[in-house]
Amino acid sequence: MTFRASAGGDPAEPARLPAAAEALTEVSRALTGDVRVVVLRGDIWSCSAGIPTALDSTRETDALGAVERRVAAWQAGFGWLSARADLVSVAAVNGPTSGAGLQLALACDLRVLTEDTVLSLPEAVLGLVPGLGVTSTLVDLVGYPTALDLCLTGRRLAAAEACALGVAQRVVPPAGLDAAVDELVAAILAAPRAAAAETKALLRGAAHRGRGETLAAERAALARCLVTHPAG
C-alpha cells in the first residue's frame, strides 16, 4: 500500500513550516501497519516560507529554550520519514525547492526530481542554519566539502547536477513525474516487506559500523530472512 501526502493550506499560499511539520506528524500517527511506502508530493516543497516569522513571537518571550522546543517539534515531524526501517519515503519534487522544503526532501529516503527542479539551501546566507535534522544526511550524500559549499553559498543546484551528486535518484520530465514515482514504488513493493526492512536498516547504519559489526549485522539480518521471514 502506498500512502501519499501533501501538506500545506490554501494552494494559492506557500506552505508554512509549522503547518507542514504538524501535518506530517499527524500522517505518522495515522499510518496503518500495511503501509510500506510514503510518497510526498505537491505544494509541500514550498514550506521554506515562514521560518523567521514562525519564530517571531517565540523570540519575544523565551529566546533560546522556546525556539529550541519549536525546532524540535519540526525535526520530529520530518525525522520519522527515514528513521523507520519498515517504511520507504519518496519525495516527488517539482520546481524550485529551497530551505525547509529541500530539507524535507532530504529527510526522505529517495528523491525523484523533475527536470525543471532547482534546489538550494540559503539558510546561512539568511543568518540561519539548516537545522531540521538533515545536515548529516547531506554530508553522507555529497561529502563534507560539497555540503559546505552548498550551505554557505546557497548556490542553486540544477536537477541534473543533483542526480549526479546522489541527491536525487531519478530526474524526469515534469509530465512524467507521477509515472516515474509509481514505477519506483512498484519496484520497492516487489521486495518482500521483511527483506526490504532488513536491507534499509543495514544500509542506514552502515556508515556508523566497523567492519566486524557490519558483518555481524548482515549475518543476523540474513538469518532472520531465512528462518523467521522466509520469502518462500
Side-chain angles (χ1 to χ4, degrees), residues 133-207:
V134 296
T135 52
S136 62
T137 299
L138 185 63
V139 171
D140 288 343
L141 289 173
V142 304
Y144 165 72
T146 300
L148 187 64
D149 173 25
L150 293 173
C151 290
L152 290 190
T153 68
R155 74 176 178 89
R156 292 155 62 88
L157 192 66
E161 184 181 0
C163 192
L165 288 172
V167 173
Q169 285 62 59
R170 309 278 194 282
V171 174
V172 299
L177 180 60
D178 287 344
V181 171
D182 289 344
E183 181 180 355
L184 176 58
V185 169
I188 293 169
L189 294 177
R193 183 182 189 122
E198 292 283 6
T199 299
K200 178 177 174 179
L202 284 172
L203 295 174
R204 282 280 297 170

Side-chain angles (χ1 to χ4, degrees), residues 3 19 23 31 87 93 111 131 147 212:
F3 192 97
L31 290 177
L87 292 174
V93 183
R111 286 154 291 281

Side-chain angles (χ1 to χ4, degrees), residues 192-199 202 217-232:
R193 183 182 189 122
E198 292 283 6
T199 299
L202 284 172
E218 290 177 354
R219 289 195 300 271
L222 184 56
R224 287 190 292 271
C225 287
L226 291 170
V227 178
T228 309
H229 306 290

Side-chain angles (χ1 to χ4, degrees), residues 202-216:
L202 284 172
L203 295 174
R204 282 280 297 170
H208 309 291
R209 299 190 191 103
R211 175 65 174 169
E213 188 181 0
T214 295
L215 293 175

Side-chain angles (χ1 to χ4, degrees), residues 14-78:
R16 300 293 172 175
L17 173 58
E22 182 178 352
L24 285 165
T25 298
E26 291 302 315
V27 168
S28 72
R29 293 170 179 163
L31 290 177
T32 56
D34 58 345
V35 175
R36 291 184 54 190
V37 180
V38 175
V39 178
L40 298 184
R41 68 177 82 215
D43 62 0
I44 198 166
W45 310 119
S46 66
C47 73
S48 59
I51 296 177
T53 302
L55 295 175
D56 280 346
S57 60
T58 303
R59 289 190 183 121
E60 294 173 0
T61 55
D62 174 16
L64 292 179
V67 169
E68 288 190 19
R69 288 190 291 274
R70 294 290 297 277
V71 175
W74 301 341
Q75 290 173 334
F78 287 17

